[in-house]
Amino acid sequence: MTDRVMEVLRRLRAGREAFAPGPALPVVDQVVATVLSQATSDVNSGRAFARLKDRFPAWEQVADAPPEEIADAIRCGGIAERKARRIQEILAAIEDREGAITLDRLDGLDDEAAESYLTSLPGVGPKTAACVLMFSMGRAAFPVDTHVHRVTTRLGWIPPGTSAAEAHRLLRPMVPPEVRHELHIALIRHGRTVCQARRPRCEECVLREVCAYGSDPARRRSAPPDATAARPRGRRAG
């Protein structure tokens, strides 16, 4: 499986600049930023985060503000009332446990314990926890968002219909730790531009020869283009 993973990464690397991780946010910032990223674009979620921080420079201010003011600040990120409520619930839980709105204690925990702490927060699922571990803490996590889920399903790495939580459990050990960050970003980019949900551009895909879906015309004819994207079951996993 490692050879298959590395071949996919090699093909996705072709013609692109060498991968370099972006700047890391503090842990609490990354938790909130990931909540804001749900069901919207990177551009809109980035704007929402910037507006929230501009209006409320300290997380204590966000925790204490009327929910409608939080929602107003993040309106451009979509489903603002729901996200405002979730952000305040998370901040309240952190303050209740830590005595302040900080997650510095996670630095002293191993990956499993840090993930367990994060997923115990209100509405924080495996994707949000993995994003925090990888982006903020430099840990060898492997977040599975909707694009990663869809592309890896079509590649044949996980079975169709695999839940979000199960996809995290299955995919993480498949991907060598040293390339998890790079592959995560590469799969998201590929899912947005080529392996799209409803109209995958298989004819021009660099992964076609190593893709279970793309290399099998019969499979593409018999299944709706988005059928390989697993649908979440139960509560939304963030």
Side-chain angles (χ1 to χ4, degrees):
M1 190 66 205
T2 298
D3 290 342
R4 293 172 62 190
V5 170
M6 295 307 296
E7 175 62 17
V8 164
L9 182 56
R10 183 189 68 78
R11 289 170 179 251
L12 293 176
R13 280 172 173 166
R16 297 192 176 273
E17 296 181 359
F19 172 74
L25 290 173
V27 175
V28 176
D29 290 44
Q30 185 63 58
V31 172
V32 174
T34 307
V35 171
L36 290 172
S37 73
Q38 294 171 2
T40 192
S41 67
D42 285 351
V43 171
N44 286 338
S45 66
R47 287 173 179 165
F49 183 79
R51 290 177 182 179
L52 181 65
K53 293 286 284 184
D54 182 62
R55 188 162 175 178
F56 303 100
W59 290 124
E60 289 76 11
Q61 293 174 294
V62 176
D64 295 338
E68 58 271 20
E69 292 188 17
I70 305 302
D72 183 62
I74 63 174
R75 187 75 58 193
C76 61
I79 52 176
E81 283 74 19
R82 184 197 308 173
K83 290 178 181 179
R85 182 171 61 253
R86 179 64 71 211
I87 289 167
Q88 289 193 308
E89 288 172 348
I90 290 170
L91 297 178
I94 293 171
E95 188 169 27
D96 183 61
R97 297 180 193 183
E98 306 300 324
I101 302 179
T102 175
L103 287 174
D104 289 348
R105 68 174 298 188
L106 297 188
D107 291 332
L109 303 180
D110 61 24
D111 292 355
E112 184 177 355
E115 180 182 19
S116 179
Y117 183 106
L118 288 165
T119 55
S120 71
L121 295 171
V124 173
K127 188 199 81 171
T128 297
C131 284
V132 172
L133 288 168
M134 186 175 73
F135 293 128
S136 283
M137 302 178 68
R139 306 288 184 92
F142 188 66
V144 181
D145 79 333
T146 183
H147 300 292
V148 174
H149 202 160
R150 178 173 65 254
V151 176
T152 55
T153 300
R154 287 176 174 164
L155 284 168
W157 293 2
I158 58 176
T162 300
S163 69
E166 184 69 0
H168 277 88
R169 189 187 70 80
L170 293 174
L171 287 169
R172 186 176 182 275
M174 291 183 191
V175 182
E178 64 273 15
V179 299
R180 286 176 186 163
H181 195 155
E182 181 181 5
L183 183 64
H184 169 79
I185 299 299
L187 289 174
I188 289 176
R189 182 168 53 227
H190 190 68
R192 287 174 175 162
T193 59
V194 179
C195 194
Q196 297 164 341
R198 296 193 175 278
R199 294 186 179 180
R201 297 155 60 186
C202 296
E203 301 305 319
E204 60 187 81
C205 180
V206 297
L207 303 181
R208 183 177 175 184
E209 294 176 353
V210 295
C211 176
Y213 180 82
S215 62
D216 186 348
R219 181 177 297 190
R220 299 205 307 272
R221 286 194 300 268
S222 64
D226 62 347
T228 54
R231 289 163 173 76
R233 292 183 280 233
R235 73 175 183 86
R236 185 183 182 92

